Amino acid sequence: MWSLSPLPVVGAPMAGVGTPELTAAVSAAGGLGIVPGGYLTAARCAADLARVRELTDRPFGANLFLPTPVDEARGAARLRSYAEALAPIAAAAGVDLPEPRWDGTDDFDAKLGVLLDQPPALVSFMFGVPPADAVRRLHAVGSRIMVTVTDAAEARAAVAAGADVLCLQGADAGGHRGTHRVEAEPNSAGWRELLASVLAVAPVPVVVAGGVMGSRDVAEALASGAAAVQCGTAFLLTDECAMPAAYRAGFTAPELTELVVTRAFSGRPARAIRNEFVARLDPLAVPVYPMVNQLTRPVRAAGAAAGNRELVSLWAGTGWRQARTGPAADVVAALVRHPD
Ligand SMILES: Cc1cc2nc3c(=O)[nH]c(=O)nc-3n(C[C@H](O)[C@H](O)[C@H](O)COP(=O)(O)O)c2cc1C
């Protein structure tokens, strides 16, 4: 059923904090590490793939964000109102707000070219369904394709587009929800509720993600028909993860106890620990991705540079309190240990 790695554990790509070392460590431990390609330049993506190949000869994957069409006429007014709300916070942090770019594609074509040049075993896509041409060319160089979905309708679309594997991401997941349409409100169902309906329309292996933190979760997922699990939050505190100090401080703070799904940081719904940024901006957030992400970047960067947990995105899945420190290989081993 699961043939991409010896163990049915996928290390989630984590844009901004994942490293080639983390990807390689998960693969070397018998799982499948995935290089986070989102937000990277094509040159950096190529360098990260090459670095993983230096560190391990095990198979691994790479992840890309699909560019999402934005209605500029409608989005511009919404974005202006958000920029006004953000302005005092930016001023207090000593940064200017940038002019958003409406023609950005996250360098999708160039990064696809990099993956075609040095094909990983698996290419996973977030935020939609890959174009037919990309699917055809990746298949031609031998890469399998995984598409993140959040319900049965998205699963059907992904299978029709040629996905070889689905990643069913439930609402417990940390970071961005991979809902295909930016403006769609994501459902609040976990993979346990969604899996049967997705298996019913998917004649391909289904990997489940969201709140998978221990071997009981893994055993339950496999017994329910999942081919493997994908974990992000479980790896955040590991030695190989490049979690900035401000993020780590917020993630481990006992007094920060509330998780929210918010569009405040990027314009897309994402699960994070509630801090001051969320408290002030979540009520005013607008569904304009990735322009809100561009707009908030200098504030987040200033927060990270100052070690200020209140200004950075504290992405976390519902199992965040169970995240453990140490080598990523130990987390992989703990996930597949026989549950007591
Ligand atoms: C910090 C962080 C960054 C993430 N970045 C990405 C990404 O770049 N691409 C992607 O497909 N998923 C990303 N995700 C979502 C994961 O793929 C996965 O769905 C999620 O981590 C599963 O839930 P869990 O965090 O409870 O394990 C990210 C998750 C986190 C926590």
Side-chain angles (χ1 to χ4, degrees), residues 12-15 63 65 126 169 172-175 209-211 230-233 247 315 317:
M14 294 195 282
N63 175 250
F65 293 165
M126 183 76 162
Q169 187 203 41
D172 293 297
Q230 177 165 309
C231 304
T233 299
Y247 183 2
W315 305 138

Side-chain angles (χ1 to χ4, degrees), residues 123-167:
V123 177
S124 81
F125 290 94
M126 183 76 162
F127 301 143
V129 163
D133 183 54
V135 171
R136 188 182 48 73
R137 292 164 74 198
L138 285 166
H139 277 159
V141 295
S143 293
R144 308 271 196 96
I145 290 173
M146 180 161 80
V147 175
T148 298
V149 302
T150 62
D151 60 25
E154 290 178 356
R156 217 179 271 120
V159 169
D164 306 296
V165 185
L166 301 182
C167 178

Side-chain angles (χ1 to χ4, degrees), residues 22-239:
L22 178 59
T23 302
V26 171
S27 286
L32 188 79
I34 301 189
V35 173
Y39 307 141
L40 298 186
T41 61
R44 176 66 195 275
C45 183
D48 283 2
L49 293 175
R51 177 77 183 133
V52 177
R53 287 205 167 90
E54 274 171 27
L55 294 168
T56 182
D57 53 11
R58 294 288 184 94
F60 62 92
N63 175 250
L64 294 182
F65 293 165
L66 284 157
T68 0
V70 189
D71 178 353
E72 183 175 345
R74 186 143 160 242
R78 288 171 148 182
L79 200 64
R80 253 193 316 278
S81 76
Y82 197 61
E84 280 165 22
L86 194 59
I89 296 172
V95 296
D96 292 326
L97 294 180
E99 272 306 310
R101 284 195 49 192
W102 294 88
D103 57 349
T105 63
D106 194 38
D107 242 357
F108 182 84
D109 291 337
K111 284 189 275 196
L112 181 63
V114 166
L115 300 184
L116 291 165
D117 275 352
Q118 8 172 349
L122 178 85
V123 177
S124 81
F125 290 94
M126 183 76 162
F127 301 143
V129 163
D133 183 54
V135 171
R136 188 182 48 73
R137 292 164 74 198
L138 285 166
H139 277 159
V141 295
S143 293
R144 308 271 196 96
I145 290 173
M146 180 161 80
V147 175
T148 298
V149 302
T150 62
D151 60 25
E154 290 178 356
R156 217 179 271 120
V159 169
D164 306 296
V165 185
L166 301 182
C167 178
L168 169 61
Q169 187 203 41
D172 293 297
H176 282 103
R177 195 81 190 277
T179 320
H180 290 187
R181 282 184 43 243
V182 174
E183 295 201 11
E185 281 313 310
N187 62 47
S188 53
W191 57 262
R192 290 173 175 83
E193 283 168 79
L194 296 164
L195 182 57
S197 65
V198 168
L199 287 172
V201 300
V204 297
V206 177
V207 177
V208 295
V212 175
M213 300 299 293
S215 59
R216 278 177 195 280
D217 301 323
V218 178
E220 188 184 347
L222 300 182
S224 312
V229 298
Q230 177 165 309
C231 304
T233 299
F235 290 101
L236 277 172
L237 295 179
T238 60
D239 299 343

Side-chain angles (χ1 to χ4, degrees), residues 170-175 188-192 209-213 217 232-234 236 251 257-261 271-273 314-323:
D172 293 297
S188 53
W191 57 262
R192 290 173 175 83
V212 175
M213 300 299 293
D217 301 323
T233 299
L236 277 172
F251 188 90
T257 55
E258 198 185 330
L259 285 182
V260 291
V261 175
R271 187 176 286 285
I273 299 165
L314 302 174
W315 305 138
T318 55
W320 95 106
R321 292 291 195 220
Q322 295 166 60

Side-chain angles (χ1 to χ4, degrees), residues 13 15 38 46 63 84 101 112 116 125 203 209 228 250 253 264 281 286 291 295 299 311 325 338 340:
N63 175 250
E84 280 165 22
R101 284 195 49 192
L112 181 63
L116 291 165
F125 290 94
L281 289 159
V286 292
M291 292 75 201
L295 206 59
V299 174
L311 289 184
T325 55
H338 193 271
D340 302 323

